[in-house]
Amino acid sequence: MNSNQWDKIQTLFKEIVDLDPESRIERLESVKTDSPLLYDELQSLLAADSQHTSMLDGFAIEQEDLSYLVPMEELFEE
């Protein structure tokens, strides 16, 4: 992605993020028609934004329960 594309994505994100759901869908559909790459990136950014997390909440990885990745018995082996 080049800087012009990133500028366009930022502008579109700021335009779309606060739209009501119906208007957002309409605007995204027009972006998808014009540029599928920009559409995909916007969808990703909007999905991340909708999770209502903030940098003040810490890292996203800290918000997830990853305990299933390492069985508890392995933590206490000597």
Side-chain angles (χ1 to χ4, degrees):
M1 177 178 310
N2 63 40
S3 64
N4 289 336
Q5 289 171 317
W6 180 241
D7 290 342
K8 181 73 172 173
I9 287 170
Q10 288 179 330
T11 300
L12 287 168
F13 178 82
K14 290 174 185 176
E15 173 190 332
I16 293 171
V17 70
D18 292 326
L19 293 176
D20 62 84
E22 187 175 313
S23 297
R24 180 184 281 193
I25 290 169
E26 289 174 10
R27 184 65 178 111
L28 283 170
E29 286 300 317
S30 70
V31 171
K32 186 177 183 180
T33 301
D34 294 339
S35 176
L37 175 67
L38 294 181
Y39 171 82
D40 290 342
E41 189 62 34
L42 276 170
Q43 283 288 78
S44 175
L45 291 171
L46 291 166
D49 181 71
S50 71
Q51 294 177 5
H52 301 293
T53 58
S54 143
M55 297 266 314
L56 298 175
D57 295 331
F59 295 105
I61 193 78
E62 294 171 349
Q63 306 299 318
E64 294 297 319
D65 177 18
L66 303 177
S67 61
Y68 65 91
L69 294 175
V70 178
M72 291 300 289
E73 53 274 0
E74 288 183 25
L75 293 176
F76 299 105
E77 289 180 359
E78 293 182 28

